[in-house]
Amino acid sequence: GQNIDQPTEMTATEGAIVQINCTYQTSGFNGLFWYQQHAGEAPTFLSYNVLDGLEEKGRFSSFLSRSKGYSYLLLKELQMKDSASYLCAAMDSNYQLIWGAGTKLIIKP
Amino acid sequence: IAGITQAPTSQILAAGRRMTLRCTQDMRHNAMYWYRQDLGLGLRLIHYSNTAGTTGKGEVPDGYSVSRANTDDFPLTLASAVPSQTSVYFCASSDSGGQGATGELFFGEGSRLTVL
């Protein structure tokens, strides 16, 4: 079956770095998405990876290893506003998005 | 620019009632989607439309119906609501078909539905 695994909750300190991991099993693969969702709000797009390697976008970076079925989202210089849920989603061969349950990130001062 | 607008933002209704959640986008995106989000679960696709005039079933379509008469509107109807349909519903769109292909999804603000 198709599956996405990511930690339920993580805690980090303001100004620090945190890495949120995601492993996926899909029938075929057409890319890996990360979305941010603040409590009570809509998800918003953060990144898309389809090739192996690291994509950097400001304080946020996303990494993909297709051979390992693994991705991570790296957040640097954490700010209080980064407190949110981070959703990992993999796209299968039919361009269907398979979503993880999300990782709730708590930032402490 | 509004993006995607959903209505209502919140609704409580009795089991057995009919309910339509409205979704309108002004980005001229071809593809539109309805998801439900429940605590502890990932977003689950209910129905989708790759282009006006066509619709398809997602992962959890039972008890829901959709229509896509034009590019902008994609209403979701619960013919006879049941308590298990209590959830937060998100409408989304993308500018490419094939269930989003490689295009990012743009989400509405959500409709919180409680069925008693």
Side-chain angles (χ1 to χ4, degrees), chain A residues 7 14-15 20 24 32 34 81 96:
Chain A
E14 189 178 16
I20 302 174
Y24 63 90
L32 193 291
W34 284 96
K81 67 179 182 179
Q96 301 283 325

PDB file of all heavy atoms in Angstrom, chain A residues 7 14-15 20 24 32 34 81 96:
ATOM      1  N   PRO A   7       7.001  12.332  11.889  1.00  0.00           N
ATOM      2  CA  PRO A   7       6.744  12.399  13.331  1.00  0.00           C
ATOM      3  C   PRO A   7       5.504  13.233  13.618  1.00  0.00           C
ATOM      4  O   PRO A   7       5.181  14.175  12.897  1.00  0.00           O
ATOM      5  CB  PRO A   7       8.007  13.051  13.894  1.00  0.00           C
ATOM      6  CG  PRO A   7       8.677  13.683  12.732  1.00  0.00           C
ATOM      7  CD  PRO A   7       8.301  12.909  11.529  1.00  0.00           C
ATOM      8  N   GLU A  14      13.701  28.680  19.674  1.00  0.00           N
ATOM      9  CA  GLU A  14      13.836  29.853  18.803  1.00  0.00           C
ATOM     10  C   GLU A  14      15.302  30.095  18.481  1.00  0.00           C
ATOM     11  O   GLU A  14      16.162  30.036  19.365  1.00  0.00           O
ATOM     12  CB  GLU A  14      13.238  31.064  19.508  1.00  0.00           C
ATOM     13  CG  GLU A  14      13.112  32.303  18.655  1.00  0.00           C
ATOM     14  CD  GLU A  14      12.455  33.460  19.395  1.00  0.00           C
ATOM     15  OE1 GLU A  14      12.381  33.392  20.648  1.00  0.00           O
ATOM     16  OE2 GLU A  14      12.014  34.418  18.739  1.00  0.00           O
ATOM     17  N   GLY A  15      15.585  30.328  17.188  1.00  0.00           N
ATOM     18  CA  GLY A  15      16.957  30.571  16.755  1.00  0.00           C
ATOM     19  C   GLY A  15      17.720  29.320  16.366  1.00  0.00           C
ATOM     20  O   GLY A  15      18.777  29.410  15.731  1.00  0.00           O
ATOM     21  N   ILE A  20      12.750  17.986   9.947  1.00  0.00           N
ATOM     22  CA  ILE A  20      11.531  17.175   9.994  1.00  0.00           C
ATOM     23  C   ILE A  20      11.635  16.116   8.896  1.00  0.00           C
ATOM     24  O   ILE A  20      11.752  16.447   7.722  1.00  0.00           O
ATOM     25  CB  ILE A  20      10.274  18.035   9.774  1.00  0.00           C
ATOM     26  CG1 ILE A  20      10.207  19.144  10.828  1.00  0.00           C
ATOM     27  CG2 ILE A  20       9.023  17.160   9.829  1.00  0.00           C
ATOM     28  CD1 ILE A  20       9.070  20.138  10.611  1.00  0.00           C
ATOM     29  N   TYR A  24       8.380   7.732   2.594  1.00  0.00           N
ATOM     30  CA  TYR A  24       7.206   7.470   1.773  1.00  0.00           C
ATOM     31  C   TYR A  24       7.336   6.145   1.033  1.00  0.00           C
ATOM     32  O   TYR A  24       8.440   5.687   0.736  1.00  0.00           O
ATOM     33  CB  TYR A  24       6.980   8.607   0.776  1.00  0.00           C
ATOM     34  CG  TYR A  24       8.091   8.792  -0.228  1.00  0.00           C
ATOM     35  CD1 TYR A  24       8.073   8.116  -1.442  1.00  0.00           C
ATOM     36  CD2 TYR A  24       9.161   9.644   0.042  1.00  0.00           C
ATOM     37  CE1 TYR A  24       9.106   8.270  -2.363  1.00  0.00           C
ATOM     38  CE2 TYR A  24      10.187   9.811  -0.870  1.00  0.00           C
ATOM     39  CZ  TYR A  24      10.151   9.127  -2.069  1.00  0.00           C
ATOM     40  OH  TYR A  24      11.174   9.287  -2.982  1.00  0.00           O
ATOM     41  N   LEU A  32       7.858  15.142  -4.379  1.00  0.00           N
ATOM     42  CA  LEU A  32       7.580  15.227  -2.952  1.00  0.00           C
ATOM     43  C   LEU A  32       7.348  16.692  -2.594  1.00  0.00           C
ATOM     44  O   LEU A  32       8.163  17.554  -2.930  1.00  0.00           O
ATOM     45  CB  LEU A  32       8.785  14.649  -2.182  1.00  0.00           C
ATOM     46  CG  LEU A  32       8.698  14.316  -0.698  1.00  0.00           C
ATOM     47  CD1 LEU A  32       8.579  15.546   0.191  1.00  0.00           C
ATOM     48  CD2 LEU A  32       7.581  13.328  -0.401  1.00  0.00           C
ATOM     49  N   TRP A  34       6.230  19.699   0.355  1.00  0.00           N
ATOM     50  CA  TRP A  34       6.084  20.105   1.754  1.00  0.00           C
ATOM     51  C   TRP A  34       5.158  21.321   1.807  1.00  0.00           C
ATOM     52  O   TRP A  34       5.298  22.257   1.012  1.00  0.00           O
ATOM     53  CB  TRP A  34       7.427  20.475   2.380  1.00  0.00           C
ATOM     54  CG  TRP A  34       8.284  19.292   2.730  1.00  0.00           C
ATOM     55  CD1 TRP A  34       9.278  18.740   1.991  1.00  0.00           C
ATOM     56  CD2 TRP A  34       8.224  18.524   3.937  1.00  0.00           C
ATOM     57  NE1 TRP A  34       9.848  17.678   2.649  1.00  0.00           N
ATOM     58  CE2 TRP A  34       9.214  17.525   3.856  1.00  0.00           C
ATOM     59  CE3 TRP A  34       7.432  18.580   5.087  1.00  0.00           C
ATOM     60  CZ2 TRP A  34       9.442  16.588   4.877  1.00  0.00           C
ATOM     61  CZ3 TRP A  34       7.653  17.651   6.099  1.00  0.00           C
ATOM     62  CH2 TRP A  34       8.650  16.673   5.993  1.00  0.00           C
ATOM     63  N   LYS A  81       7.017  32.368  14.660  1.00  0.00           N
ATOM     64  CA  LYS A  81       5.989  32.217  13.633  1.00  0.00           C
ATOM     65  C   LYS A  81       6.119  30.902  12.860  1.00  0.00           C
ATOM     66  O   LYS A  81       5.222  30.542  12.092  1.00  0.00           O
ATOM     67  CB  LYS A  81       6.043  33.376  12.650  1.00  0.00           C
ATOM     68  CG  LYS A  81       7.310  33.407  11.789  1.00  0.00           C
ATOM     69  CD  LYS A  81       7.269  34.572  10.810  1.00  0.00           C
ATOM     70  CE  LYS A  81       8.514  34.587   9.917  1.00  0.00           C
ATOM     71  NZ  LYS A  81       8.481  35.711   8.942  1.00  0.00           N
ATOM     72  N   GLN A  96      -1.476  11.123  -8.144  1.00  0.00           N
ATOM     73  CA  GLN A  96      -2.283  11.216  -6.937  1.00  0.00           C
ATOM     74  C   GLN A  96      -1.368  11.628  -5.779  1.00  0.00           C
ATOM     75  O   GLN A  96      -0.294  11.073  -5.600  1.00  0.00           O
ATOM     76  CB  GLN A  96      -2.920   9.867  -6.603  1.00  0.00           C
ATOM     77  CG  GLN A  96      -3.822   9.299  -7.679  1.00  0.00           C
ATOM     78  CD  GLN A  96      -5.170   9.979  -7.707  1.00  0.00           C
ATOM     79  OE1 GLN A  96      -5.712  10.363  -6.688  1.00  0.00           O
ATOM     80  NE2 GLN A  96      -5.720  10.140  -8.904  1.00  0.00           N
TER      81      GLN A  96
END
